[in-house]
Amino acid sequence: MKSMTGYAYQEFQNDEVQLLVEVKSYNNRYLDMTLNIPAFLNPLEPKIRSLIKGTVLRGHVDVTIRLRRLSIDSELYVDKDAVLKYKQSFQEIAQIADIDETLRLSHFMHLDDIIKPVKNQDIEKYAEIIIPMLQEVVGEYEETRRKEGELTRKDIITQLTDFRQSLEDVKNSAMLLEDRIKTTLLEKFEELLGKDYDENRFMSEVAVLMVKYSVNEELQRIESHLHQFEAFLEEKNAVGKKIDFLCQELNREINTIASKSSMVEVNQAVVVMKDRLENIREQLRNVE
């Protein structure tokens, strides 16, 4: 079991670059990824997304990569067409103004668009640093998710233990249900008919009430759901949605028991069961 909340980061620096890689996430119904990377690293986006998708199945994930180049990684480019156009323009101006002046290099040096820096952005060179570092950060990030997921699993087991104890109370009360129905119905029969009543009719009425108030089927379905629930808790895959669905089914069965019950003991146990189930569902909001 993994939590959808996780965090990890690393920093790296050599003579050429200063690099920071950060991965953090929080709960979300589906996988939603946000990449915060420099524009010139956009060609690496497919690799980064693929790396995250290979690990995370659900949650909102923020990946931040900051890269600062410490060395000058550029060349100077002379725009020959611009130089020729400026030369022609200078000569025309000199001719129009009737100025006899030799064209010198200094005439061009103040022009910003004559000499242009061209950055050498070798993406593969940066990828050789970024991708391995991102893999390490994702490994640390996964470890934080596993640790928090294990704490969540232990808490869910504690809630489930309390749930089962209350379930046993319901089972014990259900075993007394038939005797209580017989006693109550017998008192009513004797009150209306005295000791002279039709026993077959009495047993028929008992059978009708047992069908109406019996919760045996609900208890069997709850047990089945709990066995499946406990099996999911031991799985290594994403189980948050599966367990949440089982919680919905358990809640439905509990509500049915509550609607049928006229016993104080059952109603008290139902309150505890619903409370523990709600605590579990609260925890599941952060489980992958």
Side-chain angles (χ1 to χ4, degrees):
M1 177 178 286
K2 294 180 183 178
S3 170
M4 281 190 279
T5 301
Y7 179 81
Y9 88 102
Q10 283 189 20
E11 294 183 9
F12 170 81
Q13 182 173 333
N14 60 16
D15 293 338
E16 296 182 353
V17 297
Q18 185 179 56
L19 179 65
L20 179 145
V21 177
E22 179 185 64
V23 179
K24 59 183 177 180
S25 65
Y26 51 88
N27 60 317
N28 195 61
R29 189 173 181 183
Y30 305 105
L31 176 58
D32 179 32
M33 195 184 315
T34 300
L35 301 186
N36 303 300
I37 63 177
F40 72 90
L41 293 180
N42 284 343
L44 295 181
E45 182 172 335
K47 288 184 179 179
I48 296 171
R49 288 188 177 276
S50 177
L51 198 158
I52 298 297
K53 287 181 179 179
T55 304
V56 184
L57 300 177
R58 201 159 69 107
H60 180 92
V61 184
D62 287 326
V63 179
T64 299
I65 297 176
R66 295 194 182 96
L67 188 146
R68 178 186 176 192
R69 286 170 288 210
L70 302 178
S71 62
I72 299 176
D73 191 18
S74 63
E75 296 177 356
L76 297 179
Y77 165 73
V78 177
D79 191 332
K80 295 179 181 179
D81 291 336
V83 172
L84 293 174
K85 289 180 180 179
Y86 275 117
K87 177 183 177 182
Q88 184 180 355
S89 297
F90 288 151
Q91 290 173 342
E92 289 181 4
I93 292 172
Q95 184 179 0
I96 293 172
D98 194 20
I99 298 174
D100 185 13
E101 183 178 354
T102 303
L103 194 62
R104 295 183 176 85
L105 184 62
S106 59
H107 290 103
F108 295 93
M109 295 308 296
H110 69 282
L111 302 173
D112 294 335
D113 55 347
I114 293 295
I115 301 176
K116 302 176 181 178
V118 179
K119 293 182 179 180
N120 296 322
Q121 295 181 348
D122 187 353
I123 296 300
E124 289 305 317
K125 181 180 72 173
Y126 295 126
E128 290 175 0
I129 302 174
I130 293 171
I131 299 302
M133 185 170 170
L134 179 60
Q135 289 172 333
E136 290 183 11
V137 172
V138 169
E140 295 174 4
Y141 158 78
E142 280 294 282
E143 185 60 26
T144 64
R145 293 209 301 145
R146 278 191 289 268
K147 287 181 179 179
E148 186 167 339
E150 180 59 23
L151 292 175
T152 300
R153 191 180 77 90
K154 290 179 179 178
D155 185 74
I156 289 176
I157 290 174
T158 299
Q159 301 294 334
L160 204 59
T161 299
D162 292 345
F163 183 97
R164 277 198 170 278
Q165 290 175 350
S166 295
L167 181 63
E168 288 300 315
D169 293 338
V170 174
K171 288 179 180 179
N172 294 333
S173 297
M175 294 173 62
L176 302 174
L177 179 62
E178 184 173 358
D179 290 338
R180 291 198 179 186
I181 288 176
K182 285 182 178 180
T183 301
T184 303
L185 194 59
L186 181 59
E187 291 175 354
K188 289 184 178 180
F189 265 67
E190 291 182 347
E191 180 182 345
L192 295 173
L193 304 174
K195 297 291 184 178
D196 187 18
Y197 60 86
D198 186 340
E199 188 171 347
N200 290 331
R201 182 185 173 189
F202 172 75
M203 295 306 298
S204 177
E205 292 291 337
V206 170
V208 170
L209 291 175
M210 283 298 297
V211 170
K212 182 178 180 180
Y213 294 111
S214 175
V215 294
N216 289 331
E217 290 185 11
E218 287 76 15
L219 291 174
Q220 290 175 5
R221 284 193 289 267
I222 287 176
E223 276 294 345
S224 176
H225 294 328
L226 288 177
H227 285 308
Q228 199 170 6
F229 193 119
E230 290 163 346
F232 284 150
L233 285 177
E234 300 303 320
E235 289 189 9
K236 303 299 181 183
N237 301 323
V239 293
K241 287 184 178 180
K242 296 177 182 178
I243 296 179
D244 187 62
F245 173 76
L246 284 180
C247 286
Q248 295 178 43
E249 295 300 305
L250 286 167
N251 193 59
R252 184 178 292 110
E253 301 299 339
I254 293 170
N255 286 336
T256 302
I257 291 174
S259 66
K260 287 184 174 183
S261 173
S262 59
M263 301 174 67
V264 174
E265 299 88 342
V266 172
N267 293 335
Q268 290 174 340
V270 162
V271 170
V272 175
M273 292 164 71
K274 289 178 73 68
D275 178 69
R276 300 302 180 267
L277 203 58
E278 184 60 32
N279 291 342
I280 291 173
R281 296 195 71 182
E282 184 69 27
Q283 292 280 32
L284 289 174
R285 293 177 183 175
N286 205 37
V287 173
E288 185 179 69

